Amino acid sequence: MDSNSRKTPCKSEKAYCNILNEIEEGYFETDLQGNFTFFNHSMCRILGYPSEKLLGANYREFASKRTAKEMFQTYNRIFRTGEPVRIVDYEIKSRNDRRVVVELSSSMIRDIHDTPIGFRGIVRDITEKIQAEEEKEQLKLQLQQALRLEAVGTLAGGIAHDFNNILTSIQGYTSILKLRTGPSHPNYEKLTRIDDLIQNGADLTRQLLGFALGGKYEIKILNINTVMLHSLKMIPGIKENINIVEDYQNDLWMVEADRGQVEQSLLNLFTNAVHAMPDGGTLSVKTCNIHLDPDHSKNMDLPPGKYLEISIADTGIGMNHTTMQKIFEPFFTTKKMGRGTGLGLASTYGIIRNHHGKIMVSSRVGVGSTFTIYLPASSINTTTQMTTENDYAYGSENLLLIDNEQTILDIGKEILQELGYAVFTADSGEKALEIYKKHKDQIALVILDMIMPGMSGIETYHELKKINSELPIILDSGYNIETQAIINFMGEKDGFVQKPFNIKILSRKIRTLLDRLNRKTADP
Ligand SMILES: Nc1ncnc2c1ncn2[C@@H]1O[C@H](COP(=O)(O)OP(=O)(O)OP(=O)(O)O)[C@@H](O)[C@H]1O
Ligand SMILES: [Mg+2]
């Protein structure tokens, strides 16, 4: 075909420039050395520089060392083969060091004699797409980890439950013996040692349960700054070569949380930080109020709203990626036998999750680690006092003790009798209802096991309340799968204790509830 017969109208150079400047993609031409000779508006926008800065500049100025090397290889290939190169992902340095990822397709420019004189290329900004993909991947990993931890949690919770029942029995018998012997008896000290050992065992199961289901037993309105100050004083094995830097927000919002559990979580983090700095370093703690907007909170898998941000940073040994992925798993430890059980972070994770919060970690080997906790802020603005009493509380009322385990009934009955109470026992919800109906006027308070075969603790609770809504009920459980549910329906007249029972706590709880009831009935 004769070229003169072409009917396509030829656009002016200006018209082509207009088209180029209107397209979304960046277009550029360079000489053989890679110096920009021509480009469109979008190219300037993507790189973030005005055209006078780009013209004559070399592509290397806008690329990291790695990208520059890769681009050099790409241009080399185009030059050698004459073939265009399609779509390669490059990370480039835009103005203000913003990370920009582009797709590039590039080809050779030749003069009329077919001699190569430069390169041309089209660049598409895919930063947002890449970021979205990365975020999605991150969320997927988080979800996988949460599911894995959930499964391990169920297992750990099951073991802790059985173990707790055994401890409860041992502790019960020890308490009876202690109550009977008194401090002057030659065996009293040994019994105290047994008590301490039981406490160690109970601490272990508490950590496990914290991880597994993390019951919130004693919800209070807390000022985290105060809890932080207190926990910092209790770090075991802290030496002078560790410098503590504190930065507390003054008007920090309150949280609704279990003080003991929050303290335990912070202490686990502080202890790990200290262990990570055997030759000393800086432990920085910080609290602040933050507002998570819907965008941010979605990425963090938390509902939007007001949160407290607590960060704990060390300048210690840091962690590599593989370690970081496992740290929240129970029994994962890199510490020598006998130094760590690997339950610290597992329980911290469970506790924070059960307070509807989130814990995150970032770390670099040789630089240090930062743990960041988010806890939802409370809408209530008052603080409540912790009660600190140290003694057994006695009484003489009639109590009804309900538990499906005979040993616990036997021990419980003996202990309560030692404390002065008269005790009815029932080994099932059904029997308990029978007894309560019969002795309704005598029974002043009920202690009820949450986990029972047949009629469950919750059902029994509701049935008893149907008969007498004023009846104080202390719920107990070692395995707190339903703790949240309990807290939701528990009334002011009721209480909760965790197995294995701390007899002092149980005795005081019984007394508090009974005294409250007596005051109420005495009031006109
Ligand atoms: N701040 C930190 N710096 C470096 N590594 C850490 C840090 N915190 C945790 N780790 C790593 O995570 C692992 C698990 O921590 P975790 O607290 O669960 O268990 P542990 O400290 O080993 O034992 P435990 O707390 O039960 O005594 C640690 O063994 C350590 O490898
Ligand atoms: Mg630890």
Side-chain angles (χ1 to χ4, degrees):
M1 192 175 10
D2 180 352
S3 67
N4 290 336
S5 68
R6 271 171 56 173
K7 290 282 180 288
T8 323
C10 208
K11 285 197 192 271
S12 68
E13 199 171 321
K14 192 159 183 289
Y16 277 118
C17 273
N18 283 343
I19 294 172
L20 275 181
N21 278 332
E22 269 165 34
I23 61 172
E24 191 59 25
E25 282 77 13
Y27 174 82
F28 68 87
E29 292 177 3
T30 68
D31 58 21
L32 285 176
Q33 282 71 47
N35 301 316
F36 287 111
T37 52
F38 178 78
F39 39 81
N40 67 353
H41 288 342
S42 290
M43 193 66 198
C44 294
R45 182 179 44 78
I46 292 170
L47 288 176
Y49 288 102
S51 59
E52 54 277 18
K53 170 91 176 102
L54 272 191
L55 194 66
N58 194 277
Y59 73 88
R60 282 195 208 91
E61 291 176 36
F62 308 100
S64 65
K65 245 184 177 165
R66 208 187 87 215
T67 306
K69 195 171 149 202
E70 284 172 0
M71 284 178 97
F72 177 77
Q73 286 164 348
T74 304
Y75 286 138
N76 223 338
R77 195 161 93 229
I78 299 172
F79 188 75
R80 271 188 291 107
T81 61
E83 296 287 319
V85 168
R86 313 229 169 264
I87 309 203
V88 190
D89 290 0
Y90 286 128
E91 202 173 308
I92 55 173
K93 265 198 302 197
S94 143
R95 198 173 185 176
N96 303 332
D97 273 343
R98 191 173 74 90
R99 172 188 174 224
V100 175
V101 187
V102 294
E103 262 174 16
L104 165 73
S105 46
S106 191
S107 59
M108 198 90 245
I109 309 175
R110 295 169 191 280
D111 66 9
I112 44 168
H113 309 295
D114 214 25
T115 311
I117 54 165
F119 302 96
R120 66 163 63 88
I122 292 198
V123 163
R124 177 177 299 144
D125 186 348
I126 53 164
T127 316
E128 277 180 20
K129 190 175 125 202
I130 296 279
Q131 265 168 3
E133 275 167 13
E134 282 172 359
E135 272 162 20
K136 213 166 123 193
E137 189 58 25
Q138 191 62 28
L139 271 179
K140 206 170 103 192
L141 281 177
Q142 273 183 24
L143 183 71
Q144 276 169 356
Q145 190 186 38
L147 287 175
R148 199 171 60 238
L149 290 175
E150 202 74 43
V152 185
T154 313
L155 178 73
I159 297 169
H161 166 60
D162 288 350
F163 197 65
N164 252 349
N165 275 341
I166 299 169
L167 283 179
T168 307
S169 304
I170 304 176
Q171 186 170 58
Y173 284 123
T174 317
S175 297
I176 293 167
L177 288 176
K178 274 180 90 176
L179 275 167
R180 283 190 189 160
T181 52
S184 55
H185 195 278
N187 286 340
Y188 192 82
E189 199 190 315
K190 291 203 175 60
L191 289 170
T192 309
R193 287 284 296 280
I194 297 178
D195 240 358
D196 292 344
L197 291 170
I198 296 167
Q199 212 44 55
N200 291 350
D203 285 347
L204 203 76
T205 50
R206 193 167 309 122
Q207 296 253 39
L208 261 182
L209 282 170
F211 165 67
L213 307 140
K216 293 196 280 180
Y217 317 121
E218 297 275 350
I219 298 299
K220 298 238 158 80
I221 309 288
L222 295 184
N223 181 334
I224 290 293
N225 286 346
T226 320
V227 182
M228 195 89 139
L229 278 168
H230 185 245
S231 311
L232 277 172
K233 288 201 199 106
M234 306 201 305
I235 309 174
I238 185 158
K239 295 203 209 95
E240 275 166 12
N241 60 3
I242 294 196
N243 177 28
I244 300 182
V245 177
E246 293 159 88
D247 177 4
Y248 302 120
Q249 169 141 7
N250 261 339
D251 49 349
L252 193 70
W253 293 325
M254 297 292 191
V255 293
E256 282 164 59
D258 180 310
R259 182 177 179 128
Q261 292 196 348
V262 173
E263 254 172 25
Q264 187 57 53
S265 304
L266 294 174
L267 212 53
N268 289 341
L269 296 174
F270 296 155
T271 311
N272 285 344
V274 169
H275 284 170
M277 301 186 284
D279 304 322
T282 303
L283 168 65
S284 317
V285 298
K286 186 172 181 239
T287 56
C288 64
N289 296 331
I290 66 157
H291 212 286
L292 284 186
D293 57 38
D295 265 3
H296 255 90
S297 75
K298 199 173 85 209
N299 289 342
M300 292 176 56
D301 200 19
L302 284 173
K306 285 158 78 177
Y307 286 83
L308 268 79
E309 190 183 79
I310 306 161
S311 60
I312 293 156
D314 64 63
T315 55
I317 52 174
M319 288 171 261
N320 62 25
H321 191 67
T322 326
T323 302
M324 256 202 305
Q325 291 210 303
K326 294 202 178 130
I327 52 172
F328 295 118
E329 285 174 19
F331 302 112
F332 173 81
T333 178
T334 55
K335 294 176 187 165
K336 280 199 217 100
M337 276 287 276
R339 269 216 80 176
T341 40
L343 282 176
L345 287 180
S347 78
T348 300
Y349 176 93
I351 289 169
I352 300 302
R353 189 195 51 181
N354 281 289
H355 282 80
H356 308 292
K358 180 117 194 156
I359 176 162
M360 291 175 151
V361 58
S362 67
S363 183
R364 274 177 64 197
V365 175
V367 178
S369 314
T370 303
F371 285 84
T372 312
I373 294 175
Y374 296 91
L375 284 176
S378 165
S379 44
I380 308 166
N381 256 329
T382 49
T383 38
T384 52
Q385 293 294 315
M386 296 276 291
T387 49
T388 47
E389 291 168 64
N390 278 318
D391 281 324
Y392 293 104
Y394 297 81
S396 57
E397 289 89 342
N398 283 285
L399 311 179
L400 169 58
L401 177 64
I402 312 166
D403 201 300
N404 63 305
E405 296 219 14
Q406 195 55 46
T407 347
I408 291 185
L409 284 183
D410 293 346
I411 301 166
K413 185 172 177 178
E414 253 189 283
I415 291 172
L416 294 169
Q417 283 172 341
E418 289 286 335
L419 291 168
Y421 296 101
V423 186
F424 293 95
T425 57
D427 62 5
S428 70
E430 291 86 349
K431 278 216 190 106
L433 286 180
E434 243 174 66
I435 294 174
Y436 187 69
K437 277 179 195 155
K438 217 153 129 199
H439 304 280
K440 188 168 163 299
D441 297 331
Q442 287 158 273
I443 296 170
L445 179 143
V446 169
I447 302 169
L448 169 63
D449 182 19
M450 285 311 296
I451 312 290
M452 295 194 294
M455 188 188 258
S456 73
I458 292 185
E459 277 174 88
T460 314
Y461 174 96
H462 286 304
E463 288 305 316
L464 286 168
K465 288 278 175 177
K466 262 190 218 161
I467 306 172
N468 177 6
S469 63
E470 294 294 305
L471 175 71
I473 300 181
I474 294 180
L475 299 148
D476 73 71
S477 171
Y479 185 54
N480 293 296
I481 195 147
E482 303 187 27
T483 307
Q484 196 48 52
I486 299 168
I487 287 177
N488 290 343
F489 71 68
M490 236 167 54
E492 221 191 86
K493 299 167 204 79
D494 306 320
F496 180 81
V497 288
Q498 195 201 352
K499 276 180 181 165
F501 302 134
N502 176 319
I503 310 301
K504 278 185 188 162
I505 292 180
L506 176 67
S507 76
R508 289 204 301 266
K509 193 147 281 178
I510 297 173
R511 204 55 268 153
T512 313
L513 293 183
L514 287 175
D515 289 348
R516 196 181 290 163
L517 191 76
N518 291 342
R519 261 204 314 277
K520 218 175 143 192
T521 34
D523 284 347

